[in-house]
Amino acid sequence: MKAVAYRQSLPIDDPHSLLDATLPEPPAPTGRDLRVRVQAVSVNPVDTKIRRNVDPAGADKVLGWDAAGTVEAVGPEATLFRPGDAVFYAGAIDRAGSNAELQLVDERIVGRKPASLDFAQAAALPLTAITAWELLFDRLGVARGDQHKTLLVVGAAGGVGSMAVQIARKLTGLTVIGTASRPETQAWVRQLGAHHVVDHRAGLLEPVRAVAPDGVDYVMSLTHTEQHYEALVELLNPQGRLGLIDDPATPIDIRAMKRKSISLHWEFMYTRSLFHTHDMLAQHRILDELADLIDAGALRGTMREHYGTINAANLRRAHAQLESGSTIGKIVLEGF
């Protein structure tokens, strides 16, 4: 089968950083696995982080943790899908990725593709939507319909932020403040439904206080947590909750949160699949509910750029764009 592989950590402008390859097809699915013919993928920061940190160099490995495609075969214990079903999913970080024509994936982390989206549009959603959903409801503990509280989303124009703003607006009564630094990203966050959009380039404290003088109750810190940490602790109300998904470049001193009894919550959407948690099926349910919300017009897709065919050259271009730190929404590729 056709695939895009990597063998060692190289800068993305090196033509050997990602390579077109022909690899063996995955075997017939066992257990609850599905074998999916991949029709579209999207690219996430996790792809670039893993590509930059493989050591030592070795055999071909396949990146890619967002896909939409068609089920070709199901394992003997699979009950949720049948051959021919159109699906979307983010996969598992400890298994081969989606940048290949065929992929094995556990049905418990797969959802039905939204009928109103094509495969490319659907591929933009799973990882970021699950991350936003889990961070909001499972980690921060926000209740649906929550009223009279405020959520701050730092980095609201990116993939996770784009979904977090929408989900919070549609499924809760929270006042949503998003941060974005450029006119085009600020406009995007407003289109997604944020009540307020502030520029975080000169610091968060004063811009957020201008729109939320009483402070904020929840924070989703999606990028550069170490830069904003002191301001976030200052802005959070007593007993507030701070959630993050990034890897702070420098340590943060959690003792600063003690006086206000602020709680810290990590979100890593691969935890359920990596540890085969008892509630692993939750991601299937999240994706199916997201598909229902999209088909009902309550949520919109976040695809912004279509980079063409799934091949090494186009994926190198997508990785380079993500590494620039200026991406709005999601980049997708389609077909081999």
Side-chain angles (χ1 to χ4, degrees):
M1 65 177 179
K2 293 181 180 178
V4 177
Y6 73 107
R7 296 177 185 138
Q8 57 186 317
S9 293
L10 294 168
I12 198 58
D13 58 0
D14 188 311
H16 296 96
S17 58
L18 293 171
L19 300 164
D20 291 309
T22 301
L23 301 179
E25 292 187 357
T30 59
R32 299 192 71 173
D33 272 357
L34 312 174
R35 187 169 67 187
V36 177
R37 181 161 294 278
V38 175
Q39 292 174 248
V41 301
S42 69
V43 185
N44 294 284
V46 65
D47 297 70
T48 71
K49 290 177 183 177
I50 291 177
R51 192 203 80 245
R52 295 196 304 264
N53 289 287
V54 61
D55 184 48
D60 288 338
K61 299 179 181 66
V62 178
L63 297 167
W65 289 283
D66 257 338
T70 304
V71 177
E72 279 204 345
V74 304
E77 298 173 24
T79 61
L80 302 175
F81 298 98
R82 297 178 298 177
D85 287 345
V87 296
F88 72 149
Y89 56 89
I93 203 166
D94 57 344
R95 303 185 73 175
S98 58
N99 296 335
E101 288 185 286
L102 293 166
Q103 183 181 17
L104 292 175
V105 59
D106 191 301
E107 68 170 356
R108 289 170 289 183
I109 56 174
V110 175
R112 71 163 187 88
K113 182 185 78 68
S116 57
L117 300 183
D118 61 28
F119 284 100
Q121 292 167 326
L125 290 168
L127 185 148
T128 55
I130 293 172
T131 299
W133 189 288
E134 290 184 345
L135 183 54
L136 186 66
F137 296 121
D138 297 346
R139 312 297 172 232
L140 294 178
V142 173
R144 297 205 194 191
D146 219 339
Q147 301 282 338
H148 312 302
K149 292 184 179 180
T150 301
L151 167 69
L152 173 63
V153 182
V154 182
V160 176
S162 295
M163 292 307 303
V165 168
Q166 295 188 76
I167 293 168
R169 274 307 310 268
K170 295 297 183 180
L171 300 184
T172 79
L174 298 175
T175 297
V176 180
I177 304 169
T179 82
S181 60
R182 309 192 312 273
E184 59 269 32
T185 55
Q186 292 170 0
W188 170 252
V189 176
R190 289 191 185 94
Q191 290 171 22
L192 296 174
H195 293 92
H196 307 283
V197 181
V198 301
D199 186 346
H200 56 247
R201 284 176 300 180
L204 283 176
L205 202 56
E206 297 310 316
V208 174
R209 275 183 169 160
V211 297
D214 295 329
V216 302
D217 303 288
Y218 305 102
V219 170
M220 287 184 167
S221 183
L222 308 179
T223 184
H224 299 304
T225 295
E226 72 283 353
Q227 294 180 20
H228 303 300
Y229 178 67
E230 289 185 11
L232 297 177
V233 172
E234 181 70 22
L235 289 164
L236 272 161
N237 288 328
Q239 303 181 85
R241 300 181 183 187
L242 170 61
L244 61 155
I245 66 169
D246 63 336
D247 301 304
T250 56
I252 58 174
D253 184 359
I254 63 172
R255 293 173 298 181
M257 300 190 291
K258 179 179 180 179
R259 189 164 176 264
K260 288 184 175 180
S261 295
I262 295 169
S263 56
L264 178 66
H265 305 265
W266 282 100
E267 161 59 16
F268 185 55
M269 69 138 288
Y270 295 112
T271 296
R272 281 173 161 140
S273 58
L274 192 59
F275 294 96
H276 288 259
T277 61
H278 68 90
D279 62 349
M280 188 170 162
L281 188 65
Q283 291 193 345
H284 162 71
R285 293 172 177 151
I286 290 168
L287 287 171
D288 272 5
E289 185 167 355
L290 285 163
D292 290 340
L293 290 165
I294 290 164
D295 287 341
L299 300 178
R300 58 180 283 188
T302 56
M303 182 183 83
R304 289 277 293 194
E305 300 285 346
H306 193 306
Y307 274 26
T309 304
I310 304 167
N311 60 39
N314 288 339
L315 277 167
R316 286 195 297 269
R317 189 161 62 100
H319 278 228
Q321 174 58 35
L322 281 182
E323 290 177 6
S324 76
S326 61
T327 305
I328 304 173
K330 293 296 296 292
I331 299 168
V332 303
L333 300 93
E334 183 175 16
F336 288 87

